[in-house]
Structures are given as structure tokens and as C-alpha cells.
Amino acid sequence: GAGVSQSPSNKVTEKGKDVELRCDPISGHTALYWYRQSLGQGLEFLIYFQGNSAPDKSGLPSDRFSAERTGGSVSTLTIQRTQQEDSAVYLCASSLAISQGNEQFFGPGTRLTVL
Amino acid sequence: GENVEQHPSTLSVQEGDSAVIKCTYSDSASNYFPWYKQELGKRPQLIIDIRSNVGEKKDQRIAVTLNKTAKHFSLHITETQPEDSAVYFCAVRDRTSYDKVIFGPGTSLSVIP
């Protein structure tokens, strides 16, 4: 079946512009995560959606970052007034409800470059 | 919240030797511990996981051991091959934070032919 998809695969933007990154999770997966991975670095947790619960936004680095998940499916990560330090690969992952399984399936990522 | 540490940050072994990567965590309530492998330029993929009700799990050349008392778990790779070269991330499910999964900083493993 289809895996997690993300778009765009690459995004180049100018400093100060807003960007939107999209994630389509695997159908039926209730949990959705966003991570940021800078070159050669680890997976920095950004935000977590679990079913209808309020999202865990504790990893968002500043108020320029926001995310939403419409209808419990597609998620959009928005970065306003981008800065050069926002350049990284943004990874989305989804999983079944905890009671059904635990494996996170990652998308291919969006490589963001802020000039 | 949960804090996950991982050691070593880099590891180089000769082909055929074993590799061990260790992770420690802070929250004794955590109950699920997966390991992910990320090859260069690719997305992370689950390779093995363990729940808190068992102490060891094996899958061919890889195994994971868990010491709940000491709050650490380790990945063991035997008979390493060049294709094992990758970054390995441990992770912990934080029961105190809506079952959020937190990743360690990663270990870059190089297997020298």
C-alpha cells in the first residue's frame, strides 16, 4: 500500500518568506509526528498529533512554527518568516494507535533551504 | 519529560566484528523501545523493538537488550557487514506525554570491509 508521502520534496525560499510543508500519512494511522533533521544531526521532535487529542506542540522551536491536521489525516507544517537556521530536512511519520501498534513509518522528507 | 542519551556517537568496526550501541532514558514509566536505521540520504526505518515486559529480543544478526532497573537498553549487531553502515537511532515512548516517541541523538556506524 501507499506509504507516508510528503510534498514538496525540495523547497528553496528566501529569508522572511512563509512556507508550507505537507504530509499525507498512511490511511488509518491516528498518530502523526513532525521532526526536523539538520545535516548530519538527529531527529528533533517538533509536534505530535494523536487522534482527537490536543497536539503536543512542545518541540516547536518558536512561534514562527505551527502545524495543523485536518480531518485526522493530512497535516501541514507552516513556518513563517523563515530564517537561514530553519534550513533542514523536515520529516513526517505516522503510526497506528498505540493500542494497535507502535512502528513509525517515515515519509521521504522535505528538504528546506532558506537563502 | 523523557531524556534519551545514546553512546557512542560514532563507531567504526571491522567487517565480521560485533557492534554495540547503548541508550539510557530517564522516565521509569517508559515501556516501548524501538531502534531505527537511517542509511545515507534515506528515511529512518524500524529494525527492531522491545517492550518493557521482556529483557531481550533477537532477529537474525540483531538483538536488543533491556535493563529496566538501570533504565538502559542496547542494540547488538553481530557479524557486521558493510551494508550495516548507517546511523542508528534509539527511541523511547514517553508514557507521561501522551505516548510521544523521543529519539536519541544517533550513532554513526561504519563497517570497514
Side-chain angles (χ1 to χ4, degrees):
Chain A
V4 179
S5 61
Q6 292 185 245
S7 61
S9 56
N10 282 283
K11 177 70 176 178
V12 179
T13 190
E14 294 179 346
K15 177 182 174 181
K17 300 286 189 181
D18 298 351
V19 295
E20 283 190 353
L21 312 180
R22 177 186 169 105
C23 172
D24 283 88
I26 294 173
S27 178
H29 281 195
T30 59
L32 187 148
Y33 299 79
W34 282 99
Y35 297 94
R36 180 168 69 176
Q37 188 171 36
S38 300
L39 187 62
Q41 301 300 308
L43 298 164
E44 178 187 4
F45 166 78
L46 296 179
I47 189 168
Y48 165 48
F49 297 89
Q50 173 56 53
N52 295 321
S53 301
D56 181 339
K57 305 179 182 180
S58 61
L60 295 178
S62 77
D63 58 7
R64 296 187 295 106
F65 289 73
S66 63
E68 62 178 23
R69 188 178 185 192
T70 54
S73 181
V74 172
S75 178
T76 301
L77 177 68
T78 301
I79 308 174
Q80 296 179 310
R81 305 181 302 281
T82 52
Q83 303 295 313
Q84 289 184 331
E85 59 262 30
D86 299 335
S87 296
V89 174
Y90 289 81
L91 289 163
C92 172
S94 71
S95 68
L96 289 167
I98 293 299
S99 61
Q100 296 174 281
N102 300 280
E103 180 177 358
Q104 287 185 287
F105 293 84
F106 283 82
T110 293
R111 182 176 299 277
L112 174 65
T113 303
V114 182
L115 301 176
Chain B
E2 181 66 87
N3 182 45
V4 182
E5 297 185 353
Q6 186 172 344
H7 300 280
S9 56
T10 60
L11 180 59
S12 185
V13 300
Q14 291 289 331
E15 182 177 359
D17 288 349
S18 295
V20 181
I21 303 169
K22 181 177 177 179
C23 279
T24 61
Y25 59 99
S26 58
D27 189 348
S28 58
S30 296
N31 64 354
Y32 174 66
F33 310 91
W35 285 89
Y36 284 78
K37 176 183 180 182
Q38 186 177 30
E39 297 177 5
L40 188 63
K42 296 189 177 181
R43 69 192 81 181
Q45 289 190 306
L46 180 73
I47 56 170
I48 196 168
D49 56 13
I50 193 168
R51 297 176 189 274
S52 59
N53 58 346
V54 297
E56 183 176 7
K57 183 177 179 180
K58 290 183 179 180
D59 184 2
Q60 299 182 340
R61 294 187 298 108
I62 60 174
V64 55
T65 58
L66 171 65
N67 184 326
K68 283 215 70 180
T69 302
K71 291 186 284 187
H72 66 72
F73 58 110
S74 298
L75 177 71
H76 306 255
I77 306 174
T78 59
E79 302 172 22
T80 53
Q81 301 169 4
E83 53 264 38
D84 295 330
S85 296
V87 178
Y88 292 81
F89 294 97
C90 64
V92 176
R93 188 169 72 196
D94 186 353
R95 295 305 309 275
T96 63
S97 184
Y98 304 99
D99 293 315
K100 181 173 68 184
V101 174
I102 299 297
F103 283 83
T107 296
S108 178
L109 173 64
S110 297
V111 180
I112 303 167

